[in-house]
Amino acid sequence: MRFQGTESYVATDDLTIAVNAAVTLERPLLVKGEPGTGKTELARQVASSLGLRMIEWNIKSTTRAQQGLYEYDAVSRLRDSQLGDARVNDVANYIRKGKLWQAFEAEERVVLLIDEIDKADIEFPNDLLQELDRMEFHVYETGETIRARQRPIVIITSNNEKELPDAFLRRCFFHYIRFPDMETLRRIVEVHHPGIKDALLTTALTQFYELREQPGLKKRPSTSEVLDWLKLLLAEDLSAEDLRRDGGDALPRLHGALLKNEQDVHLFERLAFMARRAR
């Protein structure tokens, strides 16, 4: 059971090594990187490549670790007891299984994605230490212990919005997805936009990297954004010549797909203004 990438996902050598190392060590794979570099998609492609079902737990700022295990609906039980419902005699009727429980009780091995763990409270990762390490947890309301039948492949993503606790990091295999170089990005584009003309792609990617490396940029455009931009260029049937700018125009065509805040747009407008004054 080894991950080698898929036809629809270009995985670099260091990324495939990280995935397979985490599987071999039976450790969660913690994947960091800029938003839009394919961290979430990696879990889906690992599941697809290995022929496994994926269970996805999307973390929000209000998410609690307990929700990943189970939740006890005491309010519903109280209401049913007032109505004389016979279901109240079995507390299990009021236990809602979380994503970890679903992964643990699966008959087959699954891929468990814990997506954007850094969105939650700082204590969230610590609250899952024992469960992810021992692959079991206790249900106090019923007195049972839930153990993983098949140890899931756990992939955890983070956008680095918060530092994660050392104790949690120690239990993970870590990989940082670097932004792809020109050649790797060409391969990624070919997967999503096969047959794109080389002249158009070269000009577009040259402008994209120039824009991305501009000092003072608040949010650098990501892989997903350059793919959206290229999709628009193809839809508008623009050529490499159409993309070429004169010295006074610092913004690329259809730049709204790349620049996502007014500060960055104003930065390039100022650069264009200064270039015009210098001529």
Side-chain angles (χ1 to χ4, degrees):
M1 185 176 285
R2 293 186 64 81
F3 175 66
Q4 300 292 343
T6 68
E7 291 183 358
S8 58
Y9 188 87
V10 176
T12 57
D13 290 341
D14 58 342
L15 180 56
T16 59
I17 289 171
V19 171
N20 292 318
V23 172
T24 300
L25 293 173
E26 296 187 332
R27 296 278 190 182
L29 173 63
L30 174 61
V31 184
K32 289 187 178 183
E34 297 178 32
T37 50
K39 300 184 298 295
T40 302
E41 186 61 24
L42 171 65
R44 300 189 180 109
Q45 295 301 324
V46 168
S48 174
S49 173
L50 301 181
L52 304 178
R53 180 165 63 94
M54 192 181 86
I55 295 175
E56 188 170 347
W57 187 16
N58 297 300
I59 307 303
K60 301 177 181 179
S61 60
T62 56
T63 304
R64 296 176 291 107
Q66 181 64 32
Q67 292 172 307
L69 308 179
Y70 69 93
E71 291 184 281
Y72 169 53
D73 192 353
V75 174
S76 292
R77 192 181 189 198
L78 175 61
R79 184 189 63 239
D80 288 347
S81 68
Q82 294 171 338
L83 296 174
D85 194 323
R87 295 175 71 246
V88 300
N89 296 319
D90 186 358
V91 69
N93 290 325
Y94 302 93
I95 300 290
R96 289 200 293 264
K97 298 176 181 179
K99 298 297 185 180
L100 266 72
W101 189 329
Q102 295 172 31
F104 286 5
E105 74 173 359
E107 295 287 349
E108 76 287 0
R109 196 174 198 184
V110 300
V111 173
L112 172 63
L113 169 64
I114 304 177
D115 200 26
E116 298 190 333
I117 194 171
D118 52 323
K119 280 187 176 180
D121 183 83
I122 188 63
E123 291 302 321
F124 180 91
N126 281 334
D127 292 341
L128 290 177
L129 283 180
Q130 297 300 322
E131 288 77 10
L132 291 177
D133 198 28
R134 298 180 180 177
M135 287 287 152
E136 66 177 37
F137 63 89
H138 188 71
V139 183
Y140 294 98
E141 289 78 6
T142 63
E144 62 183 322
T145 297
I146 306 300
R147 295 184 178 88
R149 297 177 181 177
Q150 299 282 344
R151 193 178 188 96
I153 296 173
V154 181
I155 298 178
I156 303 170
T157 72
S158 169
N159 289 327
N160 235 3
E161 292 182 8
K162 294 190 189 82
E163 288 295 325
L164 299 176
D166 289 344
F168 181 80
L169 296 174
R170 190 168 63 248
R171 289 166 167 82
C172 298
F173 190 93
F174 173 76
H175 182 74
Y176 183 85
I177 297 183
R178 295 180 178 86
F179 193 83
D181 57 24
M182 178 80 80
E183 184 55 37
T184 303
L185 192 52
R186 279 179 171 273
R187 291 166 54 203
I188 294 172
V189 170
E190 183 60 31
V191 168
H192 293 269
H193 304 298
I196 187 170
K197 292 179 180 179
D198 186 68
L200 173 62
L201 181 58
T202 299
T203 302
L205 291 187
T206 298
Q207 289 187 8
F208 169 73
Y209 276 102
E210 288 175 353
L211 182 149
R212 182 178 158 79
E213 298 306 320
Q214 175 63 46
L217 208 59
K218 183 177 180 181
K219 182 197 177 301
R220 296 189 295 177
S222 67
T223 308
S224 63
E225 286 158 340
V226 73
L227 291 174
D228 286 346
W229 184 49
L230 288 168
K231 183 177 181 179
L232 287 174
L233 298 182
L234 292 171
E236 294 293 323
D237 197 24
L238 298 178
S239 66
E241 190 61 37
D242 293 327
L243 294 187
R244 294 194 176 98
R245 306 173 300 224
D246 59 39
D249 187 5
L251 283 167
R253 298 283 291 271
L254 300 167
H255 61 269
L258 300 174
L259 301 175
K260 299 302 177 72
N261 61 72
E262 64 278 9
Q263 177 180 314
D264 290 341
V265 173
H266 291 161
L267 170 64
F268 281 91
E269 287 175 343
R270 287 196 300 272
L271 291 173
F273 175 73
M274 293 168 62
R276 284 193 296 267
R277 289 190 60 182
R279 285 191 294 174

